[in-house]
Amino acid sequence: MNIKWGYNKMKSIAILGYGVVGSGVVEIINNNVEKLKEKIGEEVKLSKILVRDVKKHLNKPYANLLTDNIEDIFSQEVDIVVEVMGGIDPAYGYIKKFLNLKKHIVTANKDLIAKHGEELLNIAKKEGVRLHFEASVGGGIPILRPLSECLAGNSFNNIKAILNGTTNFILSKMDKENMGYEEALKIAQELGFAEANPESDVMGYDAARKLSILSTIAYDERVDWENMKVEGIAHIDEEDIKYAKKIGCKIKLLAMSNKENEKVYASVRPVMVDEDSSIGKIENEFNGILLDGDAVGQVMFYGKGAGKLPTASAVFGDILDIIQNKKDKIMAFNKKQASIEKEWNHKSKWMIRVKTVNRHEIMKELGEFGKCHFEMNAQGVRDEVMALVEVDSEDMLNQKINKLSDFYPVDSIKKIMVLGDN
Ligand SMILES: NC(=O)c1ccc[n+]([C@@H]2O[C@H](COP(=O)([O-])OP(=O)(O)OC[C@H]3O[C@@H](n4cnc5c(N)ncnc54)[C@H](OP(=O)(O)O)[C@@H]3O)[C@@H](O)[C@H]2O)c1
């Protein structure tokens, strides 16, 4: 396969990284050369591909373009640099330097954008070049551009989303095949849905970084992920799943933010959602994003949140935007930091599991909540109270939980929010 030369208008593209996404980007560029020529009269040329270890990639297309020396790319005539190597360093330094050299950047790197997005966008603006990062949230799902362009006439005050395919795959397996967390994680790793070190996914950090980018754009205020409540799924067990099923719910790692009275509640946490709701129906490695706009109402974006070609599809869309010289609406992250709340201070239901030998006292205490429904737990489990309680706020619930553990011998207390309308 060969990208042809010979047109007057020629855009030269360098790619940093030739792994899952980088290989997809090369494939999609290659498949679309003719279409680009026909539709917009532009020809693209791959100039260099940066990797760590050239030897690993010699059997891939364009092996003649490989380099392990970034200076080879700094010194080239390049129009667009695609960063798909991942991580903060050295990607951050490289992108800064390319922007200062007035090169347009396309990146899929949510870690980098969540941490340095504001600074990099400002440099891009100063240098008169573009920094696009559609693939950093929702992989192949177009969401950032629709949010900042097609939906620009809306104010948003609510985002509910499944932004991590790995954890959704694990929770789907646990739900459908009655598997434990460890077994489901192992299958996800064998199928390539989870990395050997799954920490960033299962602890919720990956989803939190994406929610930070999404909320920052939606609310036009900086919503830093370090200030959010972030809870992963490693502690979810078969009993939680059974209990969720009993009340017609599924457990999902929900990325959720809500803007109200100049404050933003933002969290990534396991939540029980109605199994028939739009979020409840998102299964396996799929992602979904539900937005509430004041003009458009509720809109949902759904699709593959990761993978070679889905992610490369979003990267290619960004490249095309730059080639077509479309005006970039996400010119800067607003500098103003949002005031972030970590607790859900709205009336809602919670599933509570208290491991204790003092079952009667705990039931009496929990019974003081106006609305409390006790549930039988697994047969033979005698040291646990399981209840569904309704409270006015998470603050109130936390106070009660602290009181329980101060006054009674309690081994552990678990709480999972049950989300009403979704
Ligand atoms: N995978 C997905 O489905 C997906 C979805 C959305 C977003 N993303 C984002 O896309 C980016 C790339 O992900 P990926 O899955 O494609 O990663 P990957 O498969 O691990 O590939 C990374 C590539 O970058 C190269 N690289 C890494 N560090 C380098 C360094 N210091 N110097 C030179 N080359 C270096 C590697 O070279 P070697 O091969 O020689 O080591 C490899 O070719 C990440 O930011 C990720 O978060 C990925």
Side-chain angles (χ1 to χ4, degrees), residues 16-23 50-54 56-57 60 67-68 83-87 89-91 94 107-111 135-140 195 206 210 305-308 311:
L16 314 184
Y18 205 7
V20 176
V21 183
S23 309
L50 180 78
V51 291
R52 248 181 316 223
D53 180 1
V54 170
K56 257 171 58 185
H57 303 276
K60 288 186 181 169
T67 177
D68 56 8
E83 186 275 308
V84 280
M85 47 195 267
D89 292 314
Y94 291 172
T107 178
N109 193 333
K110 62 246 161 193
D111 302 20
S136 67
V137 180
E195 306 210 1
D206 174 81
K210 293 168 179 168
K308 175 180 163 177
T311 311

Side-chain angles (χ1 to χ4, degrees), residues 56-71:
K56 257 171 58 185
H57 303 276
L58 289 176
N59 60 352
K60 288 186 181 169
Y62 302 103
N64 58 320
L65 301 181
L66 290 168
T67 177
D68 56 8
N69 185 357
I70 188 69
E71 296 301 331

Side-chain angles (χ1 to χ4, degrees), residues 168-186:
N168 205 46
F169 178 85
I170 293 171
L171 290 169
S172 294
K173 276 268 165 211
M174 289 174 75
D175 179 72
K176 281 191 262 181
E177 298 178 35
N178 301 321
M179 260 176 210
Y181 166 77
E182 291 297 339
E183 194 187 347
L185 170 61
K186 199 161 157 272

Side-chain angles (χ1 to χ4, degrees), residues 20-32:
V20 176
V21 183
S23 309
V25 173
V26 169
E27 191 175 324
I28 294 191
I29 291 178
N30 200 62
N31 291 344
N32 284 280

